[in-house]
Amino acid sequence: MKQIKKILVANRGEVAVRIIRAIREMDLKSAVVYSDADRDSLAVQLADEAYYIGPSPARDSYLKIKNIIEAAHLAGVDAVHPGYGFLAENPVFAEAVRSNGFIFIGPSTEAIKTMGCKLLSRSIMERAGVPVVPGAMAAIKDREDMFATARHIGYPLLLKSSGGGGGKGMRKVDSEKELARAYELARNESFSSFGTNTIYMEKYIKNPHHIEVQILADMLGTTVSLGERECSVQRRYQKLLEESPSPFLDHETRSRLAKIAIMAAKTVHYVNAGTVEFIVDENRNCYFLEMNTRLQVEHAVTEMVTGIDIVKEQIRIARGEPLSFTQDHVLSQGTAIECRIYAEDPDNNFMPSPGTVLGYHAPGGSGVRSDSGVFAGSDISFHYDPLISKLVTWGRTRDEGISRMKRALLEYKIEGVKTNIAYFSKILENGEFLSGNYTTSLVENMRLESAAAAAIPAYAQGD
Ligand code: ADP
């Protein structure tokens, strides 16, 4: 068993606060890093210690491995928690943490590397018998290869960057005449976002569900599933709202997904918390999409239905302890829903709306959890993702979870920046969402409906 007394939180915002809370509940000490923009952040105020790591742009602070390692030495920590985003899935960072003598609270560097490359993980999973999205197993080599592979896969198809994330470098192609241009666009975006121009093709699954399984694995070889999250409410391939359990799955598909997720994790000898993402089609065929080798933004949804604190389990696993429960003890109760509350402008194509929060009142009461790094007077900086909070509600039934969320959204008061709160109220009233059988097309369908209702042609909506 390894000793962990003090942990460096190598992140900012709500996730830094989330991790600091778990550390305190375990009676351990926390140190957090911060940039110029985050001098007065909630995370800095809540941590036992805080270490300056550089100017506001992330590339000069939260992405600077050297500065974070220096902070870890200065703080004299035993371990580093990367949170999500920034360096959380960077194998060079994980290795730097380890080679400097600290414990990395996450999986092996090898697992991060393998799962970080979409193409490599696809072929490893396929070889292990995990069903993957139909498509190519190699990158596009040249023009001729591109057209031949596309004809073989069939349209519509999706071009994807092997280094992808956040929906970047991804382009849907409906017909052969769009292919060459879409490839150029995907390649450029992939290069500017991830420094790679390796692009491959997948069959575009029509009207899919994005459903993912949360897993936890200890160093003693036990891997468990904490159940699934339905993440099909998306805009531009990015999640907006998540819920657990998925109202679309039946018992058989649910246990099949959990089994496949555990098999996927075991294939790469995965240790710590991870998420196996799937595309599920209308006939409930399940296809492996990718694995995220870190704490997931929407982990709180799973925590609400299972009662398991995933961050505390991550720390226990990193100490070499066995999981504090067995698969039989994982009981999912009721429904939890999460809305990602962003500082963004619904009237301007949901563009970020950074600024100073002048007034702030988060909702509370029974079954409501608000994970946030924001308070009245704090700045939502244009340097980072403009996430204000993750608002999660729980109900004994899906209906109760939804009514609580509606009530919580009404209580939320945020002044000084524009937010997407009112948009979530619309989603929660939408018939397709309420039916429980909604797909990743929901947001686009809503846009088309409201455009039709306003009798404005869809092309004039500017989306
Ligand atoms: P990223 O890593 O950039 O987030 P993912 O591979 O996780 O990309 O996919 C993001 C989203 O894109 C999915 O949740 C889904 O909505 C859509 N998507 C991805 N692959 C497919 C596919 N083959 N067919 C249909 N939709 C897809």
Side-chain angles (χ1 to χ4, degrees):
M1 220 68 78
K2 296 178 204 156
Q3 275 270 9
I4 297 184
K5 288 193 184 134
K6 195 177 187 184
I7 298 171
L8 184 76
V9 180
N11 216 302
R12 65 174 301 283
E14 72 81 23
V15 71
V17 171
R18 163 73 191 91
I19 298 163
I20 291 165
R21 285 177 171 152
I23 294 172
R24 181 147 298 152
E25 285 178 26
M26 291 175 85
D27 231 356
L28 307 172
K29 292 279 176 236
S30 60
V32 71
V33 297
Y34 68 93
S35 69
D36 280 328
D38 287 332
R39 267 175 203 286
D40 304 316
S41 74
L42 188 60
V44 168
Q45 292 176 43
L46 292 182
D48 294 305
E49 295 166 20
Y51 292 83
Y52 176 72
I53 49 161
S56 306
R59 64 173 179 280
D60 300 323
S61 46
Y62 296 105
L63 291 173
K64 263 229 142 52
I65 295 178
K66 187 172 141 280
N67 297 12
I68 292 173
I69 298 293
E70 264 170 34
H73 281 298
L74 268 176
V77 296
D78 310 293
V80 176
H81 196 306
Y84 58 73
F86 297 126
L87 297 168
E89 288 173 291
N90 183 325
V92 179
F93 178 60
E95 206 38 49
V97 167
R98 292 186 164 114
S99 62
N100 275 273
F102 307 111
I103 294 169
F104 180 77
I105 303 180
S108 71
T109 309
E110 205 47 43
I112 299 176
K113 234 188 249 172
T114 307
M115 290 310 199
C117 175
K118 283 182 195 270
L119 255 180
L120 181 60
S121 67
R122 267 170 74 73
S123 45
I124 289 179
M125 288 304 140
E126 197 192 36
R127 255 181 279 141
V130 171
V132 301
V133 180
M137 285 298 159
I140 295 171
K141 286 200 275 294
D142 50 38
R143 236 183 123 78
E144 200 184 325
D145 171 57
M146 173 168 79
F147 282 103
T149 312
R151 242 169 265 140
H152 181 69
I153 295 172
Y155 296 90
L157 56 81
L158 206 56
L159 294 173
K160 279 192 176 182
S161 164
S162 68
K168 294 206 183 89
M170 220 152 80
R171 279 275 182 293
K172 181 175 174 232
V173 186
D174 288 308
S175 66
E176 188 159 90
K177 65 177 191 304
E178 294 171 15
L179 184 58
R181 169 96 187 114
Y183 175 59
E184 273 318 303
L185 290 171
R187 217 164 62 139
N188 291 343
E189 195 170 282
S190 166
F191 193 75
S192 61
S193 306
F194 315 112
T196 169
N197 47 23
T198 308
I199 304 287
Y200 71 98
M201 286 177 212
E202 271 177 15
K203 174 101 198 126
Y204 182 85
I205 309 289
K206 283 188 205 142
N207 294 324
H209 291 253
H210 173 121
I211 301 177
E212 58 187 30
V213 177
Q214 174 72 55
I215 64 112
L216 279 173
D218 65 23
M219 290 182 195
L220 297 118
T222 306
T223 306
V224 297
S225 151
L226 302 190
E228 84 282 355
R229 295 180 286 256
E230 168 81 57
C231 309
S232 299
V233 183
Q234 300 184 353
R235 178 185 299 115
R236 302 178 199 118
Y237 303 120
Q238 304 234 45
K239 299 163 189 163
L240 286 178
L241 178 152
E242 302 92 347
E243 63 177 307
S244 182
S246 162
F248 174 67
L249 290 191
D250 52 26
H251 179 69
E252 188 277 321
T253 320
R254 175 167 294 122
S255 35
R256 182 154 45 95
L257 268 188
K259 260 192 217 133
I260 303 173
I262 290 174
M263 180 165 129
K266 283 188 178 272
T267 301
V268 291
H269 309 290
Y270 198 85
V271 169
N272 216 285
T275 297
V276 187
E277 298 190 332
F278 296 92
I279 286 280
V280 180
D281 73 13
E282 45 205 357
N283 300 316
R284 296 195 175 84
N285 293 309
C286 306
Y287 304 106
F288 170 86
L289 197 55
E290 64 169 351
M291 181 168 188
N292 290 328
T293 55
R294 54 166 161 86
L295 184 67
Q296 190 97 330
V297 177
E298 57 272 25
H299 72 279
V301 166
T302 302
E303 292 184 331
M304 293 287 265
V305 287
T306 60
I308 291 166
D309 187 313
I310 295 173
V311 178
K312 285 190 200 164
E313 291 302 325
Q314 283 193 291
I315 296 170
R316 286 197 192 101
I317 292 169
R319 285 200 295 225
E321 292 171 30
L323 288 169
S324 65
F325 56 88
T326 66
Q327 184 72 71
D328 292 344
H329 291 111
V330 181
L331 273 184
S332 177
Q333 283 189 309
T335 282
I337 304 169
E338 170 179 278
C339 292
R340 299 189 185 195
I341 311 294
Y342 275 99
E344 55 185 27
D345 185 356
D347 298 325
N348 184 19
N349 204 15
F350 294 91
M351 295 301 278
S353 166
T356 303
V357 176
L358 301 172
Y360 188 79
H361 174 80
S366 191
V368 178
R369 169 174 171 178
S370 167
D371 277 21
S372 176
V374 169
F375 52 89
S378 66
D379 274 324
I380 311 277
S381 167
F382 65 88
H383 289 290
Y384 315 114
D385 190 45
L387 182 68
I388 296 175
S389 79
K390 301 183 320 197
L391 182 62
V392 188
T393 58
W394 179 87
R396 279 177 308 163
T397 58
R398 185 168 187 256
D399 282 350
E400 190 179 41
I402 292 174
S403 328
R404 276 206 174 123
M405 182 58 85
K406 282 192 191 162
R407 182 274 283 173
L409 290 169
L410 282 175
E411 275 179 33
Y412 222 141
K413 294 283 171 286
I414 303 172
E415 284 154 21
V417 293
K418 298 196 165 140
T419 77
N420 58 357
I421 290 178
Y423 185 74
F424 283 115
S425 300
K426 276 190 211 158
I427 296 178
L428 298 173
E429 299 277 346
N430 180 274
E432 202 181 326
F433 176 76
L434 291 173
S435 78
N437 185 6
Y438 58 90
T439 70
T440 59
S441 313
L442 176 77
V443 167
E444 176 60 7
N445 292 347
M446 281 175 63
R447 187 183 73 79
L448 294 173
E449 273 165 32
S450 77
I456 299 171
Y459 60 77
Q461 291 282 303
D463 193 349

